[in-house]
Amino acid sequence: GAGVSQTPSNKVTEKGKYVELRCDPISGHTALYWYRQSLGQGPEFLIYFQGTGAADDSGLPNDRFFAVRPEGSVSTLKIQRTERGDSAVYLCASSLVSGPSSYNEQFFGPGTRLTVL
Amino acid sequence: GNSVTQMEGPVTLSEEAFLTINCTYTATGYPSLFWYVQYPGEGLQLLLKATKADDKGSNKGFEATYRKETTSFHLEKGSVQVSDSAVYFCALSDQTGANNLFFGTGTRLTVIP
């Protein structure tokens, strides 16, 4: 079956602009995660959804970042007033369930490379 | 808090050499430990995992043992191949709430023929 997909694969924008990044999780996966990977670093957690609700958004760096998952499937990460420091690869992952379980393996998408000029 | 410290790279080995990539962690509670791999041009893939102390995760000839006494989860492979060239990430999950992953900085491995 299809894996996690993310669009666009690359996004170049100008400082101050608004961007949306989309994630299509594996069908039937209830948990969805967003991570950000800066150059030379490991991914850092941003936000986690269980179903439609953001169960943990403690990793969002500031209020310019927001994410939604209105129907419990596709999620959109929204960044307002982009800054050069937002340039990174944004990764999405999904898992069948969350929490301590044999079914909580996270499957990652290929990422969206965001460049803010 | 939760954190992972990973051996810095890059690492360059000849084919059939022995590989060790060190990983130590700090965690609250009883974390699960993971190694993820990112091949050139591809997304992160789970390589192996261990969910409790003394467990050994293994896959594709790679192994790592969950050592609670030394808070370590070192990755090893007895004989690397050119196709193992990739970036390797050690990660932990504290198995509570969101179950989100905490990653190390990654180690780039290049295997030369």
Side-chain angles (χ1 to χ4, degrees):
Chain A
V4 178
S5 62
Q6 293 185 246
T7 54
S9 56
N10 280 284
K11 176 70 176 179
V12 180
T13 191
E14 294 180 342
K15 180 175 179 295
K17 298 290 188 181
Y18 167 84
V19 297
E20 291 189 350
L21 311 179
R22 176 187 169 108
C23 172
D24 279 89
I26 293 172
S27 177
H29 280 196
T30 63
L32 186 146
Y33 304 79
W34 284 98
Y35 294 84
R36 178 168 71 173
Q37 186 174 15
S38 300
L39 191 63
Q41 301 297 315
E44 294 179 312
F45 169 74
L46 296 176
I47 187 170
Y48 152 69
F49 287 88
Q50 178 57 47
T52 60
D56 184 346
D57 64 358
S58 62
L60 294 178
N62 52 59
D63 61 6
R64 295 187 297 105
F65 288 75
F66 188 72
V68 295
R69 194 187 185 198
E71 298 179 356
S73 177
V74 170
S75 175
T76 305
L77 178 66
K78 308 181 181 194
I79 309 174
Q80 298 178 321
R81 305 183 302 281
T82 52
E83 299 178 358
R84 292 194 179 87
D86 298 335
S87 296
V89 176
Y90 289 81
L91 298 171
C92 177
S94 70
S95 65
L96 191 59
V97 297
S98 64
S101 163
S102 300
Y103 302 101
N104 64 3
E105 177 183 342
Q106 294 184 32
F107 294 84
F108 283 80
T112 294
R113 182 176 299 278
L114 175 66
T115 303
V116 182
L117 300 177
Chain B
N2 297 310
S3 67
V4 174
T5 300
Q6 189 173 339
M7 170 177 154
E8 292 192 16
V11 174
T12 302
L13 294 174
S14 297
E15 205 165 21
E16 299 184 3
F18 183 84
L19 169 71
T20 300
I21 301 178
N22 290 337
C23 172
T24 58
Y25 67 90
T26 302
T28 55
Y30 304 95
S32 290
L33 302 174
F34 306 83
W35 278 98
Y36 278 81
V37 59
Q38 190 168 34
Y39 297 103
E42 299 184 17
L44 277 169
Q45 302 174 26
L46 179 64
L47 179 61
L48 55 84
K49 71 176 183 181
T51 58
K52 61 183 187 297
D54 299 325
D55 269 2
K56 178 186 284 188
S58 61
N59 186 25
K60 299 182 180 180
F62 291 88
E63 293 183 340
T65 301
Y66 188 142
R67 300 288 189 200
K68 188 177 178 184
E69 64 275 13
T70 54
T71 62
S72 66
F73 193 55
H74 304 321
L75 182 68
E76 297 182 336
K77 186 173 186 182
S79 175
V80 293
Q81 305 301 311
V82 172
S83 57
D84 294 326
S85 298
V87 181
Y88 292 82
F89 293 92
C90 186
L92 73 81
S93 166
D94 65 9
Q95 295 289 76
T96 62
N99 197 45
N100 54 287
L101 294 164
F102 296 84
F103 286 88
T105 55
T107 301
R108 181 176 297 279
L109 170 67
T110 302
V111 180
I112 54 177

